[in-house]
Amino acid sequence: VFTTVTLDEDFIAELEETLVLSDVAMATTEKLIESLRQQVKKERPETIEQAKALFKREMARVLGTEPAPLQFSPQPPTVWLILGVNGTGKTTSIGKLANLMKQQGYRPLLVAADTFRAAAIEQLQIWGQRVDAPVIAHRPGADPAAVVFDAVRAARSRGHDLVLVDTAGRLHTKHNLMAELEKVSRVVERETGRQPDESLLVLDATTGQNGLAQASAFTQSVPLTGIILTKLDGTAKGGIVITIADQLHLPVKLVGTGEKIGDLAVFDPQEYVEALME
Amino acid sequence: GLSAKLQNAFAKLRGKVTLKEEDVDAAMREIRLALLEADVNFKVVREFVAQVREKAIGADVLKNLNAPQMVVKIVHEELVKLLGGEPVKMKFSSHPPTIIMMVGLQGTGKTTTCGKLATWLKSERKKPLLVATDVYRPAAVDQLKRVGEQANVPVFEMGTNVSPVEIAKQAVNHARQRGLDVVIIDTAGRLHIDEQMMREAAAIKAAVQPHETLLVVDAMTGQDAVNAATEFHNAVGVDGIILTKLDGDARGGAILSVRQVTGKPVKFVGIGEKLDALEPFYPDRMAGRILG
Ligand SMILES: Nc1nc2c(ncn2[C@@H]2O[C@H](COP(=O)(O)OP(=O)(O)OP(=O)(O)O)[C@@H](O)[C@H]2O)c(=O)[nH]1
Ligand SMILES: Nc1nc2c(ncn2[C@@H]2O[C@H](COP(=O)(O)OP(=O)(O)OP(=O)(O)O)[C@@H](O)[C@H]2O)c(=O)[nH]1
Ligand SMILES: [Mg+2]
Ligand SMILES: [Mg+2]
């Protein structure tokens, strides 16, 4: 009675296509399909819907079933470092995140540590105005580590319980830029006595297989605690995060769903899998 | 790379007198994996591997001692063909100003590329004008103004309370009055499924009739490239492609889908954040990069 489902190669081919088109790596796709075959042998589903439910369970093994919470420090200020390659949505995500955290009663301080790109400081300052959160900034060309040093001091003296650090986009292949990022993280460590409470990689949902290279490289410079997956309001699914979860055990914590202040939500693994399987 | 992986696949074929379908499958699978890893579109990979399979069998190379290298050569040649063969030159209008419009998804590098293009045009003795029509993104106009200062190129802007269509029209008049011969219109990043924004892009195009509408694509784009490229081409119409962030290690296979759905050439590639980081596109080099 379950032969249609156990060996239905059309179902498998369709599943493979869904995953690969969503940018899940081929290796991860094959691994998930192999686990599914094992489960199907064991559980003997009788319908396609039951087989799909088994598959969602396999996905849950990789992504978890519950949102991964954001980490706060027992001793304020909590410091979150926002990093990633160029153009993924770091600055915009910080604006949205500050808004989200203000709604939860926090007093965020924004840090304009992108001292390189044209008008990066101004961009964050506009977000600061929108959210009504102060922004610590130096001049363009200043040392990002110096800006962060000032910001942590200012957070303490002005009673900010949350510090959100915006950093310049950087390709993980550029060693000098990765060294700069390490220096920023070290400054946080020296000033607070611990690593940033969150080091969040901002990943664009349209990114393909390079997303895995990005996560692997960044985490070697600054141990990553999570991912912000942006631009999920497009047609891209960001499936590389499944590969990243499987290989690096790094969870998605937040998702960006647009360009407006309210377009940021906590990542729900079950909702994400539902959307993927549509 | 691919050559080494094919060595393993072909080792089994060497002793055989005749080849069965399954024998060739292993080799084709390695090619398929390499291309998917490089973000080449799923369907493009299927068609491509079918073509390579036919060529390889036809050329009777599969039992050859050098089969792996010969098959890689076939794959490379087929990729170069899909990528557009020859590097393409920039054409200028005989009735200046030449009008160039940059479009694309959010964050792909349009604003920075406008600056790079302006810098290159100056080196070619042109008098470019940058036009700021992104009235949405915080400090986007400031960003283009800064870029203009760095490139030593004038920037036409009307703040953020005037419609992009109006800004573009007035910019072209401004260029004509001042004898500036190339107008580079930077536009806001937009989703291909955002109907209002796609209509806006089409309206800007209709208003100023650009000689070149360039789609700016991020080299790390994955399978979604085909969707965005299709919509941009259908809704706005694309004359050329600029592939950015090639200074990273993304293989850039998405360019094949963009090429396939637009049929248009890649005119330039972005290889860094500075304003001199713009190069012509070399299909041969890109094929090598995609193959890894
Ligand atoms: N549609 C959509 N656009 C987004 C989202 N997040 C950011 N963007 C857009 O992506 C573009 C880049 O955003 P930024 O915040 O400047 O990205 P960034 O990572 O700070 O860029 P760099 O600092 O230059 O590396 C902007 O046009 C944003 O409005 C999202 O969730 N959805
Ligand atoms: N490494 C590298 N970075 C680039 C390249 N081109 C652009 N960038 C960076 O990518 C980020 C986004 O560039 P922008 O020019 O702001 O992108 P955009 O397409 O105008 O963004 P939106 O207007 O928000 O859609 C910036 O950090 C740029 O410095 C490139 O070729 N290489
Ligand atoms: Mg930024
Ligand atoms: Mg821009």
Side-chain angles (χ1 to χ4, degrees):
Chain A
V1 70
F2 61 75
T3 43
T4 326
V5 177
T6 25
L7 301 174
D8 185 29
E9 289 309 313
D10 286 345
F11 174 69
I12 296 292
E14 214 176 296
L15 201 52
E16 181 187 77
E17 181 164 326
T18 300
L19 294 176
V20 173
L21 286 179
S22 305
D23 291 310
V24 179
M26 200 56 195
T28 317
T29 300
E30 288 181 341
K31 181 174 168 186
L32 286 169
I33 288 178
E34 183 50 33
S35 315
L36 176 66
R37 285 188 197 276
Q38 298 302 326
Q39 288 305 307
V40 166
K41 278 208 191 94
K42 251 181 49 199
E43 310 263 332
R44 309 196 162 212
E46 298 186 1
T47 64
I48 288 290
E49 280 315 305
Q50 287 176 0
K52 278 193 184 165
L54 282 183
F55 188 72
K56 288 181 191 172
R57 219 173 59 188
E58 287 313 303
M59 296 279 259
R61 276 189 224 289
V62 176
L63 291 177
T65 50
E66 294 304 313
L70 289 163
Q71 297 301 320
F72 293 85
S73 165
Q75 272 187 331
T78 288
V79 179
W80 293 346
L81 190 59
I82 308 299
L83 46 95
V85 304
N86 308 71
T88 56
K90 298 177 290 301
T91 306
T92 307
S93 297
I94 286 181
K96 297 172 185 175
L97 188 52
N99 180 56
L100 201 63
M101 301 318 294
K102 276 198 83 170
Q103 288 172 0
Q104 295 184 23
Y106 291 92
R107 282 197 60 217
L109 176 68
L110 309 188
V111 188
D114 177 356
T115 56
F116 170 76
R117 205 209 68 212
I121 295 171
E122 287 80 344
Q123 186 185 4
L124 190 69
Q125 285 171 329
I126 292 175
W127 276 108
Q129 288 164 17
R130 284 181 179 179
V131 178
D132 189 21
V135 180
I136 296 286
H138 290 194
R139 299 163 164 278
D143 179 0
V147 186
V148 174
F149 176 87
D150 264 5
V152 179
R153 295 263 160 135
R156 277 210 187 91
S157 66
R158 299 176 205 175
H160 291 285
D161 46 16
L162 180 62
V163 177
L164 302 178
V165 182
D166 190 16
T167 61
R170 71 200 68 226
L171 294 182
H172 50 286
T173 46
K174 309 214 164 161
H175 301 287
N176 58 328
L177 299 184
M178 297 306 278
E180 176 187 270
L181 189 62
E182 291 169 21
K183 186 175 171 202
V184 164
S185 183
R186 273 201 306 276
V187 165
V188 173
E189 224 174 316
R190 270 212 319 272
E191 286 307 298
T192 61
R194 43 176 211 284
Q195 292 191 331
D197 302 287
E198 289 285 347
S199 291
L200 300 170
L201 176 71
V202 180
L203 193 61
D204 186 326
T206 64
T207 304
Q209 299 306 300
N210 196 249
L212 179 63
Q214 292 172 25
S216 311
F218 272 95
T219 204
Q220 290 182 28
S221 274
V222 174
L224 298 175
T225 58
I227 292 171
I228 302 180
L229 184 62
T230 61
K231 308 178 196 174
L232 268 184
D233 47 320
T235 51
K237 299 283 166 61
I240 197 67
V241 300
I242 297 171
T243 299
I244 293 172
D246 185 46
Q247 296 193 16
L248 301 178
H249 310 294
L250 190 59
V252 176
K253 297 208 172 183
L254 297 161
V255 294
T257 57
E259 300 186 77
K260 302 201 291 300
I261 196 166
D263 296 334
L264 187 76
V266 167
F267 176 73
D268 182 325
Q270 299 200 27
E271 266 182 39
Y272 179 80
V273 172
E274 290 294 335
L276 199 70
M277 304 285 287
E278 245 144 50
Chain B
L2 182 61
S3 200
K5 298 211 180 90
L6 289 181
Q7 296 281 357
N8 285 327
F10 281 120
K12 311 186 184 66
L13 305 186
R14 217 159 290 150
K16 306 204 171 188
V17 175
T18 51
L19 292 180
K20 292 200 241 68
E21 285 292 309
E22 310 90 71
D23 298 326
V24 185
D25 281 355
M28 294 304 119
R29 184 170 178 279
E30 288 301 334
I31 297 172
R32 179 169 182 255
L33 287 178
L35 294 176
L36 285 175
E37 227 175 73
D39 293 320
V40 179
N41 177 265
F42 191 69
K43 297 200 173 69
V44 170
V45 171
R46 204 165 32 209
E47 296 160 9
F48 186 83
V49 171
Q51 284 204 343
V52 165
R53 181 190 199 99
E54 241 177 76
K55 286 227 155 169
I57 291 176
D60 196 25
V61 303
L62 297 176
K63 286 182 280 169
N64 191 298
L65 204 66
N66 283 324
Q69 293 84 339
M70 293 168 93
V71 172
V72 171
K73 184 158 179 291
I74 290 172
V75 175
H76 186 102
E77 283 170 0
E78 291 302 305
L79 280 178
V80 170
K81 273 202 210 124
L82 289 181
L83 289 167
E86 286 303 309
V88 179
K89 294 202 137 280
M90 178 104 210
K91 293 209 265 337
F92 297 97
S93 169
S94 46
H95 303 293
T98 297
I99 303 173
I100 303 170
M101 179 175 163
M102 309 284 257
V103 297
L105 294 173
Q106 289 89 345
T108 56
K110 298 174 291 301
T111 304
T112 309
T113 303
C114 284
K116 292 179 184 179
L117 203 55
T119 301
W120 177 71
L121 287 167
K122 276 197 79 161
S123 74
E124 298 276 309
R125 306 285 177 86
K126 297 289 179 199
K127 297 196 230 74
L129 175 70
L130 289 165
V131 184
T133 73
D134 183 353
V135 301
Y136 309 100
R137 170 174 155 155
V141 173
D142 287 329
Q143 184 187 3
L144 192 67
K145 280 166 73 175
R146 293 293 159 83
V147 164
E149 284 164 18
Q150 288 169 12
N152 199 8
V153 167
V155 176
F156 184 89
E157 53 99 355
M158 296 178 71
T160 58
N161 289 319
V162 179
S163 82
V165 170
E166 191 55 32
I167 298 169
K169 280 193 199 156
Q170 297 221 18
V172 175
N173 289 339
H174 179 93
R176 283 206 180 96
Q177 287 167 12
R178 304 291 165 97
L180 301 172
D181 53 15
V182 186
V183 173
I184 303 169
I185 304 173
D186 185 22
T187 68
R190 68 202 64 225
L191 290 180
H192 54 294
I193 54 170
D194 184 336
E195 291 185 5
Q196 188 179 351
M197 285 302 277
M198 294 307 280
R199 269 200 301 274
E200 177 193 275
I204 297 173
K205 181 162 176 165
V208 298
Q209 309 271 330
H211 300 89
E212 296 264 0
T213 302
L214 302 177
L215 181 65
V216 180
V217 178
D218 193 322
M220 58 183 173
T221 312
Q223 296 288 321
D224 195 56
V226 64
N227 301 324
T230 303
E231 282 313 306
F232 271 93
H233 196 45
N234 289 344
V236 186
V238 166
D239 301 303
I241 303 158
I242 298 187
L243 194 59
T244 61
K245 308 181 201 170
L246 269 178
D247 44 319
D249 58 1
R251 303 259 288 273
I255 193 58
L256 286 172
S257 343
V258 180
R259 279 271 308 141
Q260 196 181 51
V261 300
T262 61
K264 301 300 176 180
V266 182
K267 302 233 165 171
F268 295 100
V269 298
I271 53 158
E273 293 193 72
K274 304 229 173 80
L275 296 188
D276 57 359
L278 191 73
E279 269 187 3
F281 174 70
Y282 298 110
D284 187 70
R285 280 192 214 166
M286 191 74 209
R289 179 189 182 110
I290 290 173
L291 279 181

